[in-house]
Amino acid sequence: MTELRRRGGGGDTDNSDANISDKEADGEERQASPEEAESKAETPDVPPPSENTPHCLNKALEGLPPRWKNYWIRGVLSLAMISGFFLIIYLGPITLILVVMTVQIKCFQEIITIGYRVYHSYELPWFRTLSWYFLVCVNYFFYGETVADYFGALVQREEPLQFLARYHRFISFALYLAGFCMFVLSLVKKHYRLQFYMFAWTHVTLLIVVTQSHLVIQNLFEGMIWFIVPISIVICNDIMAYLFGFFFGRTPLIKLSPKKTWEGFIGGFFSTVVFGFLLAYLLAQFQYFVCPVGYNSETYRFTVECEPSDLFVLQEYTLPAVVQNTLGKETVQLYPFQIHSVFLSSFASLIGPFGGFFASGFKRAFKIKDFADTIPGHGGIMDRFDCQYLMATFTHVYIASFIRGPNPSKVLQQLLVLQPEQQLSIFNTLSSHLRERGMLPPAGL
């Protein structure tokens, strides 16, 4: 805590006195190496999470070695979470959006709470209030953009929404400026440096959590398959890497996460690629999963009806000569999306874990085991979604780079927002274009 006291002090003399008194009071620190002393000084004390495993589960597993007890706790809770995930998918897009928002808020709360626990002794003015205020501002901006893009017809029917949609970005900027001014007014002389630390802490948290969760929802509107497959393959990789590491792990993978092994990493990779390939084949058969999520302004409901694109239509592929000799077949029928799933699975297995390593480094910096104790055996919500956010960004970039074409539902919503004369001009231009291509009969017939 020496460094924290040094940062909070008002002058060099007070800091020197505090440092001397600290060293006199702590005999062990005087004997430690300079590196260890610096590490101890710079690392704040964060209270460890409490044990919250259900009593019935603890009682059922008592007598087992700690390693196997943790294995069963993680297994039971993993099955419960997977079952909940299936239920959420069944309930449809609106439920998925609400769940993403809930997860986002919980992840934000866990990271901000760590910052608050680290610096709570300084009683920084308005820190928590401003953190949540900025969360509201950023969500208002992102979700307002989504409403304007996908719910244009609804916006046109409601006059208050028309005003909010027209001046959305100005309102968002004004709200942020209000928070910025409040932060400047809250600055206190002896806490300047810490307050700017926490200002940066809040904004980096918003960048990691809110921006990524917005991309998750954008992926969902491209079709539920772009939401389900990326999330599922990360879950699969996490489970299979854990199982391979638990039973066969011998070789450490990275110092940041000592329990990770090469055996788990490699086993998780091959398992995830196979799982993603099969899951893609299964989901590509159903219109409910492959169609872009749209909003029907007449029924006020989300719709997932369309003519599936070529990406989700079976096509015949010629196998390489080596594979032909092995399988005795020259061609195979696949959905093109299955090929894309291999790239998604490879990213989830090879690059995705670095999101977890990043989180491990963050937790080691503050000497905590987990972000929170929300899920017994797993830690906090952020512990489960550290890789998911990285995967969401990759999926969004992948869709934009290699997949996305015009979204008819989104284009229609934007057309409905235009003035009548603009709509009529577009109608006439489109009619002329279709007649030239022979898709409409000539005018006058």
Side-chain angles (χ1 to χ4, degrees):
M1 300 298 288
T2 305
E3 178 65 16
L4 291 181
R5 276 190 285 270
R6 186 185 303 125
R7 291 174 181 171
D12 294 340
T13 303
D14 294 340
N15 289 340
S16 301
D17 293 339
N19 293 340
I20 293 171
S21 62
D22 281 349
K23 291 181 180 180
E24 290 175 350
D26 189 352
E28 292 182 6
E29 187 171 328
R30 282 187 275 109
Q31 298 174 5
S33 65
E35 292 80 4
E36 292 173 342
E38 183 180 356
S39 175
K40 289 179 181 178
E42 292 183 350
T43 305
D45 294 327
V46 180
S50 59
E51 171 61 41
N52 67 338
T53 305
H55 177 70
C56 58
L57 196 56
N58 264 332
K59 191 171 183 179
L61 300 175
E62 63 182 359
L64 287 177
R67 183 168 181 259
W68 282 96
K69 182 178 179 180
N70 182 63
Y71 171 83
W72 282 106
I73 291 174
R74 287 176 64 97
V76 171
L77 269 298
S78 294
L79 290 175
M81 287 188 288
I82 291 171
S83 301
F85 182 57
F86 287 141
L87 176 62
I88 293 166
I89 293 171
Y90 173 76
L91 293 175
I94 187 65
T95 306
L96 287 170
I97 293 173
L98 293 174
V99 169
V100 170
M101 292 180 65
T102 303
V103 168
Q104 172 217 113
I105 293 170
K106 182 63 175 125
C107 290
F108 181 83
Q109 181 265 334
E110 289 177 358
I111 299 177
I112 289 298
T113 298
I114 292 175
Y116 179 72
R117 287 177 174 177
V118 168
Y119 301 108
H120 74 283
S121 59
Y122 293 96
E123 299 179 355
L124 298 182
W126 299 359
F127 164 54
R128 300 192 83 172
T129 302
L130 283 174
S131 295
W132 287 100
Y133 176 81
F134 282 125
L135 176 67
V136 172
C137 291
V138 175
N139 271 306
Y140 176 81
F141 172 74
F142 280 125
Y143 286 102
E145 294 280 307
T146 300
V147 169
D149 284 344
Y150 294 97
F151 303 89
L154 177 63
V155 170
Q156 285 299 102
R157 292 184 180 183
E158 304 293 336
E159 193 165 331
L161 292 180
Q162 291 180 33
F163 175 83
L164 293 175
R166 184 176 304 158
Y167 302 106
H168 170 67
R169 295 196 175 186
F170 180 81
I171 294 172
S172 300
F173 183 62
L175 289 172
Y176 178 83
L177 278 182
F180 178 81
C181 292
M182 284 190 287
F183 167 74
V184 173
L185 292 173
S186 73
L187 291 172
V188 179
K189 184 176 181 180
K190 63 178 180 178
H191 298 321
Y192 284 159
R193 184 180 299 180
L194 287 175
Q195 286 180 285
F196 278 102
Y197 285 164
M198 299 318 301
F199 184 77
W201 182 294
T202 299
H203 281 67
V204 171
T205 304
L206 291 171
L207 176 65
I208 293 174
V209 175
V210 182
T211 306
Q212 314 284 350
S213 64
H214 175 68
L215 296 182
V216 171
I217 293 177
Q218 292 293 307
N219 297 341
L220 171 63
F221 277 106
E222 295 295 329
M224 289 181 65
I225 197 167
W226 291 106
F227 175 89
I228 296 170
V229 170
I231 287 180
S232 298
I233 57 181
V234 170
I235 293 172
C236 172
N237 181 254
D238 190 42
I239 292 173
M240 298 310 297
Y242 175 77
L243 291 177
F244 274 92
F246 184 87
F247 290 106
F248 308 110
R250 295 292 183 273
T251 313
L253 176 63
I254 186 171
K255 289 182 179 180
L256 278 174
S257 192
K259 293 184 179 180
K260 298 290 191 299
T261 63
W262 276 104
E263 290 80 3
F265 186 76
I266 296 171
F269 167 72
F270 287 106
S271 302
T272 302
V273 171
V274 172
F275 172 79
F277 192 80
L278 296 177
L279 180 64
Y281 177 80
L282 176 65
L283 298 184
Q285 303 177 50
F286 299 96
Q287 191 181 79
Y288 179 74
F289 296 116
V290 304
C291 290
V293 176
Y295 181 77
N296 190 319
S297 58
E298 296 179 357
T299 61
Y300 296 100
R301 296 181 63 184
F302 284 102
T303 60
V304 282
E305 298 177 356
C306 69
E307 185 69 28
S309 68
D310 292 341
L311 202 61
F312 305 106
V313 176
L314 280 173
Q315 297 185 20
E316 195 169 83
Y317 293 90
T318 302
L319 295 172
V322 177
V323 180
Q324 289 182 21
N325 296 333
T326 304
L327 299 180
K329 296 175 64 176
E330 293 185 0
T331 61
V332 63
Q333 284 194 324
L334 296 173
Y335 291 101
F337 181 74
Q338 288 180 269
I339 299 174
H340 292 291
S341 75
V342 174
F343 293 100
L344 294 174
S345 298
S346 298
F347 181 89
S349 304
L350 301 177
I351 307 299
F354 281 84
F357 300 153
F358 177 86
S360 296
F362 178 87
K363 289 183 284 188
R364 280 180 169 272
F366 295 101
K367 293 186 177 180
I368 56 176
K369 183 176 183 293
D370 298 308
F371 282 94
D373 56 359
T374 309
I375 311 170
H378 291 268
I381 299 295
M382 191 64 199
D383 290 287
R384 293 298 91 211
F385 283 84
D386 47 13
C387 300
Q388 293 287 5
Y389 284 130
L390 193 60
M391 188 68 202
T393 304
F394 174 75
T395 303
H396 184 79
V397 172
Y398 190 89
I399 292 172
S401 302
F402 305 109
I403 305 297
R404 179 179 291 148
N407 186 329
S409 176
K410 186 174 179 179
V411 171
L412 179 60
Q413 295 294 337
Q414 292 174 333
L415 287 174
L416 294 174
V417 179
L418 300 176
Q419 297 297 320
E421 57 273 14
Q422 294 174 313
Q423 294 174 342
L424 188 60
S425 174
I426 292 173
F427 172 77
N428 291 331
T429 303
L430 183 61
S431 298
S432 300
H433 176 70
L434 293 177
R435 288 192 188 97
E436 289 174 2
R437 297 180 59 183
M439 300 179 69
L440 284 179
L445 293 181

